[in-house]
Amino acid sequence: MNTYKIDTIKDGTSFNNDLLIDKLFIIEPPGVPVTQAVLKALAEWEFSELICDGTVSLGNISVTDNEDTDATAPTYNENESGNVSSSVKRSLEDAAKSSSFENSEKSRLAAVQNVYNEYMNYINYVYTRYATHREINQKELADTVKDLCVFIKENRRYVLRITPSAKARSKNFLVIHSMRSTVLAITIGLQLHMSLSKLIELGITCLLHEIGMIRLPPQLYLTDKQLSPGERAQIATHPVIGFEIVKELKFPLTIQLGILEHHEKVNGTGYPRHLTGDKISVYAKIIAVACSFEAITAPREYKTERSTFDAMVEMLKNRNHQYDETVIKALLYSLSLFPIGAYVYLSNGKIGQVTDVNPDNPKNPVVQPLGERETDGTPKTVQTNDSDMRIIRVLSKQELEDVLKSLTAMDGTKHADASVN
């Protein structure tokens, strides 16, 4: 049972379990924000603290409920002290060990998934810590993002194959969106040959780009109903709120501007300042592309997710020149036209998963045919081309579900990382 000092609870804060005065008297049920009136009344009644068998809810965020997270992975909370990124480092060491095993494709994927889950937990910790204490440990954050940059560089073709389920997304919207966007942003930064110091700043900016949302009612961005003009205007304030948060915490100006401008468009149709072209910061341009690509592929209450191929085509169209062309090109060459993780139908009648890019031609990535192995037992990979090994199309959602069921029945192994891309 966690204890919360009443003077640290802000107006609008909600929790993912019952908030109580004692084990019998409930102040607010899960997900219902604590109002200023309630806080004032508690103070007048001379209550100094509340208890909750849970943590602060950031729009129904609760990484421990994420079905894509290892149940044994630690969950950070605002009462924990010390180096909260130590579990991330341990998982990184385990992932490095797994890469040396022979025939270790499955173990490598599992190790990368574990590290990915640890970073998700860490993001949850950072947001929760700010919500409850109005503080972010910048050095720890920079060190953790530095490790993330190296991790992505060394494991890009595995990390990009991880796709959380729709159920997990609905429970952990801000955490999952921030994590996936950050992975994409750093991947783009690597393609642009950014220095490590710049990659770290970019990663921090993207990890925090939605932090302004925690001061808005969760129902605004988790609803399945169409928002009113007033509600849309309220949502549009989150870049400014996020900017004010990191400015108050004295983050570098480059990070402040990246958060403020991540919804700006090159053609001037973005917000909040309707900036154009070179007036938009580089970090914001990268995050705008990463954020939009992730949003297209994400299932939400009010829309069905689209494949990563559809998302790539949508980004390449770049209607009305919304995004920076250099960043779009970097996205394409980082993921390929048929992005890493996508399941495709080949011209030889076989089905495979895209596992790596072809640096010379983003149209023809490296594919791993399902169920095929080399003589040494390692998964077989083929280089697609424009003649005898062409990619015909991506699989539909139903086709993929049928294929995965067949594979599971054949080898008894659950392909947990094979979500629709």
Side-chain angles (χ1 to χ4, degrees):
M1 190 73 71
N2 297 319
T3 300
Y4 299 87
K5 297 292 184 182
I6 288 177
D7 58 7
T8 67
I9 300 175
K10 305 300 180 182
D11 181 25
T13 301
S14 59
F15 295 77
N16 60 13
N17 212 323
D18 289 332
L19 185 65
L20 313 113
I21 288 179
D22 53 38
K23 293 185 178 181
L24 296 176
F25 195 94
I26 298 176
I27 293 297
E28 296 291 1
V32 176
V34 182
T35 65
Q36 187 61 46
V38 170
L39 294 171
K40 182 179 179 181
L42 290 169
E44 290 176 351
W45 297 337
E46 298 184 350
F47 287 104
S48 61
E49 59 187 30
L50 300 173
I51 57 176
C52 179
D53 190 17
T55 60
V56 173
S57 172
L58 310 176
N60 284 343
I61 294 175
S62 177
V63 171
T64 53
D65 290 333
N66 183 355
E67 67 180 25
D68 298 290
T69 301
D70 188 339
T72 63
T75 300
Y76 307 112
N77 61 61
E78 67 285 347
N79 293 321
E80 187 172 5
S81 60
N83 184 4
V84 298
S85 61
S86 59
S87 292
V88 174
K89 293 183 183 297
R90 286 196 298 271
S91 291
L92 283 169
E93 292 171 359
D94 291 341
K97 292 176 183 177
S98 72
S99 66
S100 63
F101 296 159
E102 292 184 2
N103 305 332
S104 62
E105 183 81 358
K106 188 179 297 184
S107 63
R108 184 70 176 272
L109 279 168
V112 168
Q113 177 76 64
N114 286 339
V115 177
Y116 190 98
N117 292 339
E118 291 293 350
Y119 280 113
M120 293 258 288
N121 280 327
Y122 180 74
I123 293 173
N124 185 64
Y125 163 80
V126 170
Y127 275 54
T128 301
R129 182 73 185 182
Y130 178 77
T132 56
H133 291 73
R134 295 296 189 264
E135 64 183 30
I136 296 174
N137 186 326
Q138 293 191 43
K139 183 182 185 305
E140 180 183 82
L141 178 58
D143 289 344
T144 304
V145 172
K146 177 183 177 181
D147 290 340
L148 176 60
C149 292
V150 176
F151 173 69
I152 292 173
K153 182 178 181 180
E154 294 177 349
N155 299 277
R156 174 183 53 85
R157 69 189 188 93
Y158 297 101
V159 176
L160 291 173
R161 288 155 71 177
I162 297 174
T163 304
S165 68
K167 180 181 178 181
R169 286 178 183 273
S170 67
K171 292 182 178 180
N172 309 283
F173 166 69
L174 289 183
V175 167
I176 289 179
H177 175 69
S178 295
M179 179 64 187
R180 283 180 56 77
S181 297
T182 300
V183 167
L184 289 168
I186 291 173
T187 301
I188 292 170
L190 287 166
Q191 183 66 37
L192 294 172
H193 303 293
M194 297 177 73
S195 66
L196 180 58
S197 61
K198 296 296 184 184
L199 281 173
I200 293 170
E201 280 198 339
L202 171 63
I204 291 172
T205 306
C206 197
L207 189 148
L208 296 176
H209 80 282
E210 297 285 29
I211 199 165
M213 286 286 198
I214 69 176
R215 291 189 181 174
L216 299 176
Q219 56 268 30
L220 286 178
Y221 50 88
L222 293 176
T223 183
D224 56 357
K225 299 178 181 178
Q226 185 174 359
L227 297 178
S228 68
E231 289 171 329
R232 287 197 298 271
Q234 195 173 359
I235 282 284
T237 64
H238 79 271
V240 177
I241 297 173
F243 166 75
E244 292 173 345
I245 288 173
V246 293
K247 181 180 180 182
E248 181 181 353
L249 294 174
K250 295 181 172 53
F251 276 82
L253 180 61
T254 48
I255 292 176
Q256 295 178 29
L257 293 178
I259 290 173
L260 177 64
E261 299 169 1
H262 74 271
H263 276 295
E264 299 286 0
K265 305 295 183 187
V266 174
N267 61 9
T269 62
Y271 61 89
R273 297 188 292 167
H274 307 292
L275 300 180
T276 59
D278 293 338
K279 295 179 182 178
I280 304 171
S281 72
V282 173
Y283 296 160
K285 288 180 179 179
I286 294 173
I287 294 171
V289 169
C291 188
S292 296
F293 182 91
E294 200 286 322
I296 294 171
T297 62
R300 297 293 304 279
E301 286 84 351
Y302 53 84
K303 75 176 184 67
T304 302
E305 78 274 19
R306 297 166 66 188
S307 70
T308 52
F309 172 74
D310 290 335
M312 183 62 74
V313 171
E314 183 71 22
M315 299 303 294
L316 289 173
K317 288 179 181 177
N318 200 7
R319 291 189 177 91
N320 301 317
H321 194 57
Q322 299 180 68
Y323 307 105
D324 184 275
E325 290 289 352
T326 300
V327 178
I328 292 291
K329 184 176 180 181
L331 176 73
L332 174 64
Y333 276 82
S334 297
L335 274 68
S336 88
L337 178 61
F338 300 93
I340 293 175
Y343 286 81
V344 295
Y345 187 75
L346 302 170
S347 58
N348 64 358
K350 296 181 178 180
I351 293 171
Q353 184 183 31
V354 178
T355 58
D356 208 349
V357 298
N358 175 357
D360 297 323
N361 188 344
K363 182 182 176 183
N364 297 319
V366 176
V367 171
Q368 181 178 304
L370 298 187
E372 295 190 14
R373 293 186 175 276
E374 302 288 358
T375 54
D376 63 358
T378 59
K380 182 178 181 179
T381 59
V382 297
Q383 174 64 68
T384 58
N385 54 53
D386 292 325
S387 55
D388 61 327
M389 191 62 71
R390 291 178 292 111
I391 292 178
I392 304 299
R393 60 178 174 83
V394 295
L395 268 63
S396 68
K397 184 175 181 178
Q398 185 59 55
E399 287 174 330
L400 178 55
E401 289 177 355
D402 292 342
V403 168
L404 295 180
K405 285 180 181 178
S406 298
L407 288 174
T408 300
M410 288 172 58
D411 62 15
T413 301
K414 181 180 179 182
H415 295 253
D417 65 314
S419 300
V420 178
N421 280 277

